[in-house]
Amino acid sequence: MTLRAVLVPLAALVIFGLLWELLVWANGWPNYKMASPSDLWPAFWKFRWLFLEYGWDTLWRTVVGLLVAVIFGVGLGMIMGFSRLMRDALYPLLVGFNAIPKATVVPIIALLFVGQHDMNTILIAFLISFFPIAVSVSIGLSTLEPEYRDILRSLGASNLTIFWKIALPKTLPEFFGALKVAVTLAFIGTNLMEIVEPHGRGLGHLFDSGKISADYPLMFAVLIALALMGILLYYVVVALEKIFAGWAERSPT
Amino acid sequence: MTNLIEIKGVRHAYKTQDGPLPVLDGLDVSVPEGGFVAVVGPSGCGKSTLTRLIAGLMKPDEGEVRLHGDLVKGPKSTVGMAFQNPVLLEWRTILKNVMLPLEIVPNRLSAREKEDRARELLALVGLEGFEEKRPSELSGGMRQRASLCRAIVHKPEVLILDEPFGALDAFTREDLWQTMLKVKEREPFTGVLITHDLRESIFLADQVVVLSGRPARTQYVMDVHLGAERTLDDLYTPETAEALNTLRHQIQIAQGRAPEVAA
């Protein structure tokens, strides 16, 4: 069962790679039109140290941005979930903010905090990813059935106890659902900053230098590296979900 | 003799966008210690408001709600509640669900004693062997049994049942009625049962209170003729048929006074 769980996705990956290779080969495309998987290994090998170093930059900035998004998003979600007034007040503001393409925010942030590259990158990763978390937490809290509250309140429980024992655990499945979306969004945010305002660090910068030096296999190799890191982080979230909200998954009977 | 629950002249109106909506208008209910009163009435007549008043979750605009002669000012841990929706916590096992009140109500029980108490009750209602299951793995009737255990685990003086069997099929419901009587015998409490089912009210309670349509007042009170030992056969005697008929007639009067409106 567990072997199957590993083999099936792995086989799908291999088949995808082969089809890609075939597509490039059948069309006779040169690698400046589309690099094939067999071109990627040399690119990876040639820049292996840069991949490790820049990959780490991108990874930690994304994770920190995501953590800030979780703290801020959960806080905002709690405020909107418990107060009708705050929900009515903040929703339009939040939706409007989320509708702004973040690529347009990048130069603003870059000008606002000139030279603070780490902070700028983390900021964009955070700004792009907190929205789904805030919305899901607020919906989770505001849709708590009144009977749940009554059961605890009739026993004399404080609001804090009600939050801790019921509201928080009950919202966890929604929270993790949103976190899965947020984790990929945070990656987009980090790379947006690294590519649009290059400052010599991160995989986004490596992609940009590939573009400048017309090293197309390198550009594709960066994309693959980003995809792999995205998969890694996503499954970290899935593992956390299994631990903290595994009860929400019904056994297939 | 003083009653454990004493509700006198209670009036209450909810504030809505279309102005105040009176739900209770002169409600009198008294339940002696160890008694079990069923409250029936047309739907939307304010029966659930009554449960919230007794539980101290809200205060009436007028009139008084007393437990042991003391005015109810807020939630008291001497009250247990069960609703139509069993509201079990999906992330806890059945055992941990039943133990929840013991985590909140101050008590001197050790962790071991809390668990023993919960296990004892689960066995009493026929849920032995399901302690480690999650609520989603249980049937509706079993979930309701667990909910009942949770309502009485902290030995409340007053048990409030708000249509607890309303969503169950007829056979499961009759099973639960019998479980309820067994629980009452082993774990004495003073009960208020809100229900739509007249047979249920007669089978479980010593007294049936009929409320009028909204705004509700006490319209009719009937003492149940059945003794402490009851079987389902008692529901098919001429005396019971007559009592049911009287109640049905009273409900029709209640509905006539204020035709049902969507709540």
Side-chain angles (χ1 to χ4, degrees):
Chain A
M1 190 61 207
T2 44
L3 194 69
R4 208 189 115 164
V6 175
L7 283 182
V8 169
L10 214 62
L13 251 153
V14 170
I15 291 170
F16 174 77
L18 286 176
L19 285 176
W20 179 3
E21 189 76 43
L22 188 73
L23 181 77
V24 176
W25 175 78
N27 286 296
W29 282 333
N31 68 11
Y32 54 81
K33 189 167 181 117
M34 188 187 258
S36 61
S38 56
D39 296 330
L40 300 184
W41 285 117
F44 270 124
W45 190 248
K46 190 171 162 194
F47 298 104
R48 58 191 181 278
W49 301 117
L50 281 183
F51 266 105
L52 277 182
E53 191 187 335
Y54 290 170
W56 169 245
D57 284 333
T58 300
L59 188 65
W60 80 257
R61 287 161 166 178
T62 305
V63 171
V64 172
L66 192 65
L67 286 179
V68 178
V70 167
I71 294 165
F72 182 80
V74 170
L76 193 64
M78 277 169 66
I79 292 169
M80 293 200 304
F82 284 129
S83 158
R84 186 70 206 260
L85 181 78
M86 293 308 274
R87 189 154 66 243
D88 290 347
L90 292 178
Y91 242 115
L93 211 63
L94 204 58
V95 172
F97 180 80
N98 192 50
I100 298 172
K102 293 301 168 294
T104 60
V105 182
V106 168
I108 297 173
I109 297 281
L111 278 175
L112 206 57
F113 307 106
V114 179
Q116 308 281 332
H117 298 311
D118 284 338
M119 195 182 93
N120 288 344
T121 314
I122 290 166
L123 207 56
I124 288 290
F126 150 65
L127 287 177
I128 206 169
S129 62
F130 80 89
F131 182 77
I133 298 174
V135 170
S136 73
V137 170
S138 89
I139 289 175
L141 293 178
S142 63
T143 53
L144 185 70
E145 291 94 328
E147 286 109 327
Y148 280 99
R149 212 163 299 186
D150 283 357
I151 283 277
L152 284 202
R153 272 189 62 208
S154 69
L155 295 167
S158 65
N159 277 333
L160 190 71
T161 312
I162 293 174
F163 175 75
W164 199 242
K165 294 229 183 253
I166 291 193
L168 182 76
K170 202 165 167 47
T171 311
L172 279 181
E174 278 105 338
F175 168 76
F176 277 107
L179 195 59
K180 285 181 196 165
V181 179
V183 70
T184 25
L185 285 177
F187 253 111
I188 295 173
T190 316
N191 282 280
L192 208 57
M193 194 58 161
E194 289 172 353
I195 293 170
V196 178
E197 295 288 327
H199 41 68
R201 300 203 62 85
L203 285 179
H205 168 68
L206 197 58
F207 179 86
D208 207 49
S209 35
K211 199 173 83 184
I212 291 165
S213 54
D215 189 342
Y216 295 96
L218 175 60
M219 290 167 71
F220 275 93
V222 169
L223 295 188
I224 297 299
L226 285 172
L228 290 176
M229 277 165 59
I231 292 173
L232 176 79
L233 270 193
Y234 182 86
Y235 280 101
V236 168
V237 174
V238 169
L240 289 174
E241 182 184 28
K242 269 234 163 66
I243 296 169
F244 292 108
W247 52 268
E249 201 176 305
R250 307 234 160 159
S251 49
T253 44
Chain B
M1 178 187 138
T2 58
N3 289 311
L4 206 169
I5 306 173
E6 189 75 66
I7 298 171
K8 257 197 201 139
V10 162
R11 284 165 215 277
H12 192 80
Y14 285 111
K15 293 175 193 72
T16 68
Q17 284 173 336
D18 309 326
L21 174 74
V23 281
L24 299 176
D25 183 25
L27 186 70
D28 302 300
V29 179
S30 26
V31 189
E33 186 154 0
F36 200 166
V37 167
V39 178
V40 298
S43 54
C45 78
K47 298 191 293 293
S48 292
T49 306
L50 172 65
T51 64
R52 294 174 59 80
L53 286 172
I54 302 172
L57 293 172
M58 52 181 275
K59 279 182 200 140
D61 292 342
E62 258 181 71
E64 25 185 73
V65 180
R66 288 174 188 274
L67 294 184
H68 279 307
D70 298 328
L71 271 182
V72 172
K73 289 188 180 121
K76 275 198 165 172
S77 53
T78 51
V79 173
M81 292 180 101
F83 305 96
Q84 177 170 353
N85 176 357
V87 286
L88 296 173
L89 314 184
E90 295 287 329
W91 53 94
R92 288 176 171 230
T93 61
I94 293 299
L95 183 70
K96 295 270 181 203
N97 261 291
V98 173
M99 287 165 71
L100 177 75
L102 298 178
E103 294 167 23
I104 293 160
V105 175
N107 61 71
R108 286 170 184 202
L109 298 178
S110 68
R112 178 84 227 167
E113 286 167 326
K114 286 178 190 171
E115 195 182 315
D116 287 346
R117 166 84 180 140
R119 282 183 189 278
E120 176 196 318
L121 285 180
L122 284 169
L124 178 64
V125 302
L127 282 182
E128 206 164 7
F130 292 91
E131 291 88 350
E132 301 305 324
K133 299 266 186 222
R134 302 233 181 236
S136 59
E137 297 173 280
L138 266 58
S139 69
M142 290 160 105
R143 279 203 281 264
Q144 206 51 261
R145 285 169 201 270
S147 166
L148 185 62
C149 288
R150 182 183 57 190
I152 57 173
V153 71
H154 56 297
K155 302 194 188 226
E157 287 186 294
V158 176
L159 179 62
I160 302 169
L161 301 165
D162 191 353
E163 296 188 44
F165 317 122
L168 304 174
D169 66 86
F171 299 123
T172 310
R173 199 180 306 168
E174 289 183 353
D175 275 351
L176 270 151
W177 292 350
Q178 284 165 308
T179 305
M180 196 69 229
L181 288 183
K182 200 163 80 182
V183 168
K184 175 109 169 76
E185 203 185 301
R186 281 274 302 277
E187 302 272 335
F189 56 80
T190 304
V192 177
L193 169 73
I194 308 288
T195 180
H196 277 123
D197 187 332
L198 298 180
R199 287 166 70 239
E200 178 174 301
S201 70
I202 288 191
F203 188 63
L204 291 177
D206 336 305
Q207 195 179 60
V208 181
V209 174
V210 180
L211 298 188
S212 67
R214 196 172 63 210
R217 56 178 174 77
T218 304
Q219 176 182 305
Y220 182 76
V221 178
M222 184 176 89
D223 288 320
V224 175
H225 60 286
L226 300 174
E229 297 286 319
R230 301 175 182 193
T231 64
L232 287 173
D233 290 339
D234 294 332
L235 287 177
Y236 300 94
T237 61
E239 289 91 342
T240 309
E242 203 190 314
L244 281 172
N245 231 337
T246 311
L247 286 178
R248 204 167 51 84
H249 182 64
Q250 286 295 332
I251 295 283
Q252 278 165 349
I253 296 174
Q255 285 168 331
R257 179 182 141 177
E260 187 179 328
V261 251

